[in-house]
Amino acid sequence: MKEEGLTLTDGSSEIRGDFCRMIPRIRESNLGRELIVRAARGSRFTGTGQAVDATAGLGEDSLLLAAAGFDVWMYELDPVIAALLRDAMRRAEEIDELRESVRRCHLTQGDSIAALRSMREAPDVVFLDPMFPERNKSALVKKKFQMLHQLERPCADEEELLGAALDAGPRRIVIKRPVKGGYLAGRKPDYSLMGKAVRIDCFVSPGKKSL
């Protein structure tokens, strides 16, 4: 534990959860430009809702959803990443600009696939951000993500992950993908939002249906 917070290091690089750099992005003047927020809200958003982030990682996307008005249930399988995220949330509660949003985030360290399949009530949104596969040239992969890859490998069974999201019966499924990457589990979404670095694929009113 460092003074700045819980830190993962390999001796040369460090990773810690930190929501402070998200403050400009969650301001109302900027929030509506976020692709994830636009996809999750859709055209009938009432200002509140329930979202599941099934691949929470370090929680930045969850924070965007929470700032947008969703209560967010976050699932992170890896215990080390979950510990980094929980520490970031603890520190964020001490910051005025972050407190309200982070209090709408609820973290569980565990298997999101099992959780999605056992939900009694359908969430409004299921968000999926399975870790992108490593690129062929390791020099192009940021050190931070190389370290994360050592803890949690890219999604091995995309069909199972997407199938669990469908089983939950949400109003929307929102998926973050590489701009030129394939569709998750090879399934074409209803529409996509394109950014410079990522693409957001959206399934609208998918209901409970299997692949």
Side-chain angles (χ1 to χ4, degrees):
M1 173 74 79
K2 290 198 169 189
E3 193 173 311
E4 302 91 336
L6 188 64
T7 303
L8 174 66
T9 180
D10 64 358
S12 60
S13 298
E14 297 181 344
I15 296 176
R16 76 177 59 87
D18 186 1
F19 290 140
C20 288
R21 68 193 186 106
M22 297 291 291
I23 291 174
R25 294 176 65 184
I26 67 172
R27 290 177 180 144
E28 192 57 41
S29 57
N30 296 324
L31 190 61
R33 301 188 191 122
E34 294 285 343
L35 294 183
I36 291 168
V37 171
R38 287 168 53 193
R41 281 177 167 172
S43 60
R44 299 182 180 179
F45 186 65
T46 62
T48 59
Q50 309 291 320
V52 174
D53 184 346
T55 49
L58 293 177
E60 293 182 355
D61 294 322
S62 288
L63 188 71
L64 290 173
L65 292 172
F70 291 92
D71 288 309
V72 187
W73 273 259
M74 312 156 69
Y75 291 88
E76 173 51 50
L77 184 61
D78 185 85
V80 175
I81 297 175
L84 293 172
L85 175 53
R86 196 177 301 280
D87 181 68
M89 293 169 66
R90 176 188 61 79
R91 287 182 280 111
E93 283 208 45
E94 300 174 0
I95 299 171
D96 291 343
E97 297 93 330
L98 295 169
R99 185 177 299 113
E100 182 179 351
S101 295
V102 81
R103 285 181 176 174
R104 285 200 289 269
C105 296
H106 315 280
L107 175 61
T108 297
Q109 190 270 303
D111 182 5
S112 62
I113 291 176
L116 286 166
R117 286 179 171 159
S118 63
M119 287 184 174
R120 295 182 179 179
E121 295 185 9
D124 293 290
V125 175
V126 173
F127 175 69
L128 305 176
D129 179 16
M131 190 172 288
F132 301 162
E134 294 185 49
R135 300 169 187 167
N136 293 331
K137 297 182 179 180
S138 59
L140 297 177
V141 182
K142 292 182 180 180
K143 187 70 172 177
K144 172 181 174 180
F145 292 102
Q146 286 180 318
M147 293 174 67
L148 288 176
H149 276 185
Q150 292 175 14
L151 293 172
E152 192 163 42
R153 305 302 300 172
C155 181
D157 194 336
E158 295 183 349
E159 289 192 6
E160 186 177 24
L161 179 62
L162 183 54
L166 289 165
D167 286 344
R171 177 176 57 84
R172 286 174 175 264
I173 297 175
V174 176
I175 306 170
K176 182 190 284 189
R177 300 297 289 163
V179 170
K180 296 182 179 179
Y183 298 130
L184 188 69
R187 181 158 179 157
K188 186 177 180 179
D190 293 309
Y191 69 93
S192 298
L193 299 176
M194 299 297 297
K196 293 181 179 179
V198 299
R199 184 185 78 237
I200 304 298
D201 293 339
C202 306
F203 293 88
V204 181
S205 299
K208 292 198 173 188
K209 58 181 81 170
S210 55
L211 291 170

